[in-house]
Amino acid sequence: MENEILKYLEVFQICDSTFPIGTFNHSFGMENYLHDRRIRKAPEFNIWITNYYRSQFKYGEGLLTRICYEAIENDDFEKIIEYDNSLTKATLALETREGTKMIAHQMIGLINRIYGNSINLLNRYERAIDDGKAYGNPAIVFTIFAHYKGMKQRDLTLMYGYSVASTLVQNAVRAVPLGQKEGQVILNGLIFLLDKVCAEISELDEEFLGANAPGLELAQIRHETQTSRLFMS
């Protein structure tokens, strides 16, 4: 039992919102909703992040963790590269694409610093990025690491989903501004939403990868020309 807890702690460290990979610099379109006054206080933010999980996360990084886990289990590295390319090219907003790649790059570097380049599949993925065969996605990096640590697929998808939620809530605390207590109430609700989303993800196949809600994507695109900004995306 002790080793099992330690394993989960090691994985949680990598997806913790304090892990310094630059996620605190990105709102993934939320700031445009703030700019347009469509998010003013906690209730509007809760609507935004709920819709984010029901669409962009579900059909994007959430689904990506599941199908990449299956590709790892089947020793099919080329599928991982295919999914990396598909989701990146399906992401229309330049800042979102670039932000995702930057976070993945930082994540690989810090994992390798901690674990001494001992994760062969992660090294192979990094080489594919360096060779221009892949773009880099933190959900793929996390899936490779969590699989290496022996995590079950559903557990790692839930953990990754929570890490994204925690980061976005903390960013909202700074930007909305959202009270810390209100943020924790919203985050708790997202835990139960994640359980439902993960169940829905289990029924999807790779053809759904990259499906998105137009409103969320348009906000991410409009953010690129926004005059006053706190976040990079």
Side-chain angles (χ1 to χ4, degrees):
M1 179 61 72
E2 182 181 0
N3 289 338
E4 190 77 7
I5 293 172
L6 289 174
K7 177 186 74 175
Y8 272 82
L9 285 176
E10 284 186 291
V11 175
F12 187 78
Q13 179 192 12
I14 302 303
C15 68
D16 187 73
S17 61
T18 62
F19 200 63
I21 53 176
T23 52
F24 61 88
N25 287 322
H26 300 275
S27 76
F28 296 107
M30 177 188 68
E31 190 172 28
N32 185 255
Y33 282 81
L34 291 170
H35 180 268
D36 293 348
R37 306 294 290 168
R38 288 177 289 173
I39 295 177
R40 294 171 181 262
K41 294 183 180 180
E44 293 92 349
F45 172 72
N46 193 28
I47 292 170
W48 176 84
I49 198 167
T50 297
N51 288 332
Y52 177 87
Y53 270 88
R54 286 176 172 165
S55 57
Q56 195 164 73
F57 178 82
K58 175 181 173 180
Y59 299 112
E61 291 187 322
L63 177 57
L64 187 61
T65 60
R66 202 210 82 209
I67 58 179
C68 281
Y69 186 95
E70 292 170 355
I72 296 170
E73 288 282 282
N74 294 326
D75 195 23
D76 192 347
F77 183 72
E78 293 307 313
K79 271 292 184 183
I80 295 174
I81 302 303
E82 178 186 325
Y83 298 148
D84 172 291
N85 279 267
S86 294
L87 186 56
T88 303
K89 292 173 181 177
T91 304
L92 298 181
L94 175 63
E95 287 182 344
T96 301
R97 291 199 306 272
E98 292 302 314
T100 298
K101 289 187 284 185
M102 288 171 59
I103 293 167
H105 175 76
Q106 296 280 7
M107 197 175 196
I108 292 171
L110 192 46
I111 290 173
N112 280 336
R113 182 172 180 179
I114 295 170
Y115 291 92
N117 297 91
S118 62
I119 307 172
N120 292 332
L121 187 58
L122 187 60
N123 295 332
R124 189 177 179 187
Y125 184 49
E126 184 178 29
R127 286 194 299 271
I129 295 170
D130 291 342
D131 293 342
K133 297 177 181 178
Y135 294 94
N137 189 292
I140 295 177
V141 176
F142 179 75
T143 301
I144 291 171
F145 175 76
H147 183 275
Y148 170 78
K149 284 294 177 181
M151 294 278 291
K152 296 177 181 178
Q153 180 269 309
R154 182 177 172 83
D155 289 350
L156 72 87
T157 300
L158 283 168
M159 195 172 287
Y160 185 77
Y162 176 83
S163 76
V164 174
S166 178
T167 299
L168 287 173
V169 167
Q170 288 304 312
N171 289 350
V173 167
R174 289 191 290 148
V176 174
L178 192 70
Q180 288 281 1
K181 293 179 181 179
E182 289 178 310
Q184 290 302 313
V185 171
I186 291 172
L187 184 58
N188 183 257
L190 290 172
I191 292 172
F192 296 96
L193 175 62
L194 268 171
D195 185 50
K196 296 178 182 178
V197 169
C198 282
E200 293 166 0
I201 286 172
S202 68
E203 301 296 323
L204 302 176
D205 59 37
E206 62 189 66
E207 293 182 359
F208 286 90
L209 186 65
N212 204 351
L216 292 172
E217 203 153 47
L218 285 170
Q220 291 166 352
I221 293 170
R222 285 195 295 265
H223 187 269
E224 296 169 10
T225 56
Q226 198 171 297
T227 53
S228 58
R229 308 195 309 182
L230 177 64
F231 299 99
M232 294 173 62
S233 72

